[in-house]
């Protein structure tokens, strides 16, 4: 009983593969036949197909930092800010001296007192101007946009065809460069010659 079941299964498989071979042998030669009589004609048709596919836009943002010299106005503004800072420190030092002075004579001498700048003091002498920066760093943002085709073809001369793909992106879509590199493929087509 089991032998007849196996025999029936083998006969069914034979009919299935024979039918498959008959249907696939008819389709294969049609698919492998050249679609175009010359390479130029296949290339022209591939380019037409690319054009009909439309384009999408890729936006690339690049940040560039560069150092440029200060203008005379910017330098003068920094000097005025440094002068204000020194003036504030001198007034703070004068107040501290007055608080420590025990007699009127000591208070009067506070106005003539010259304290050397220490690590905690922000007041600097004549060398303070040399500490001012002469350059500044600016960041330039460059945005570039470019049109890319939704469809593209690659010639494969050894097989006498153009292999073409269509990306899964809407017409006139706006993409970043990172998204462009991770696009899925929507379709595949060949132009044979």
């Amino acid at each position: 009983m089991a032998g007849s079941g196996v025999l029936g299964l083998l006969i069914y498989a034979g009919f299935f593969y024979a039918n498959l071979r008959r249907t696939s042998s008819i389709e294969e030669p049609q698919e492998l036949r050249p679609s175009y009589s010359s390479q130029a004609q296949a290339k022209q048709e591939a380019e037409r197909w690319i054009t009909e596919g439309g384009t999408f836009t890729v936006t690339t943002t690049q940040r560039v930092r560069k150092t440029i010299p200060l203008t005379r106005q910017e330098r003068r503004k920094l000097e005025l800010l440094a002068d204000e800072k020194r003036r504030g420190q001198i007034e703070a030092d004068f107040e501290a001296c007055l608080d420590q002075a025990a007699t009127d004579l000591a208070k009067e001498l506070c106005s003539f007192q010259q304290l050397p700048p220490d690590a905690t003091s922000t007041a600097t002498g004549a060398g303070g101007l040399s500490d001012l920066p002469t350059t500044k760093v600016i960041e330039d943002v460059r945005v570039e946009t470019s049109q890319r085709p939704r469809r593209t073809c690659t010639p494969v001369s050894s097989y006498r065809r153009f292999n073409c793909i269509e990306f899964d992106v809407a017409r006139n879509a706006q993409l970043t460069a990172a998204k462009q590199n991770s696009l899925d493929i929507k379709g595949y087509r060949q132009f044979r010659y």
Side-chain angles (χ1 to χ4, degrees):
M1 192 62 130
S4 65
V6 172
L7 183 63
L9 189 59
L10 287 174
I11 292 171
Y12 174 75
F15 283 126
F16 176 77
Y17 285 114
N19 188 26
L20 180 66
R21 191 175 308 135
R22 244 183 291 135
T23 57
S24 64
S25 64
I26 294 170
E27 291 176 10
E28 280 181 30
Q30 288 176 350
E31 209 172 297
L32 294 177
R33 275 190 225 142
S35 305
Y36 303 97
S37 59
S38 68
Q39 180 180 3
Q41 190 181 10
K43 182 177 181 181
Q44 182 181 3
E45 193 59 30
E47 288 172 353
R48 184 190 62 75
W49 183 75
I50 290 170
T51 305
E52 288 175 355
T55 60
F56 61 94
T57 305
V58 177
T59 304
T60 307
T61 305
Q62 184 180 26
R63 297 180 184 280
V64 179
R65 294 177 62 122
K66 58 184 176 180
T67 304
I68 61 170
L70 291 174
T71 63
R72 193 169 19 164
Q73 285 180 325
E74 291 169 331
R75 178 85 174 154
R76 182 68 183 137
K77 188 176 181 180
L78 285 177
E79 289 172 358
L80 290 174
L81 288 173
D83 286 344
E84 285 294 319
K85 197 181 236 185
R86 277 194 297 277
R87 184 176 298 118
Q89 186 60 44
I90 289 170
E91 289 174 358
D93 291 344
F94 180 71
E95 290 294 323
C97 180
L98 287 178
D99 289 343
Q100 293 175 358
T103 65
D104 288 336
L105 179 60
K107 289 181 183 177
E108 194 173 316
L109 291 176
C110 281
S111 61
F112 300 107
Q113 185 176 10
Q114 295 291 323
L115 295 176
D118 59 2
T120 59
S121 174
T122 57
T124 55
L129 290 179
S130 64
D131 293 341
L132 293 177
T134 57
T135 60
K136 65 179 178 179
V137 177
I138 62 168
E139 186 173 78
D140 189 19
V141 178
R142 297 178 188 160
V143 178
E144 295 179 7
T145 58
S146 60
Q147 296 286 327
R148 304 286 169 85
R150 290 179 58 237
R151 297 172 175 172
T152 184
C153 293
T154 306
V156 184
S157 56
S158 59
Y159 289 105
R160 300 177 50 95
R161 68 182 179 208
F162 289 90
N163 288 338
C164 302
I165 57 171
E166 180 177 356
F167 293 109
D168 190 14
V169 61
R171 284 177 179 255
N172 303 320
Q174 301 276 339
L175 300 180
T176 62
K179 285 185 181 177
Q180 180 212 356
N181 294 334
S182 63
L183 285 176
D184 291 331
I185 295 174
K186 180 179 181 180
Y188 174 77
R189 189 166 177 184
Q190 288 184 347
F191 294 90
R192 296 180 174 277
Y193 55 91

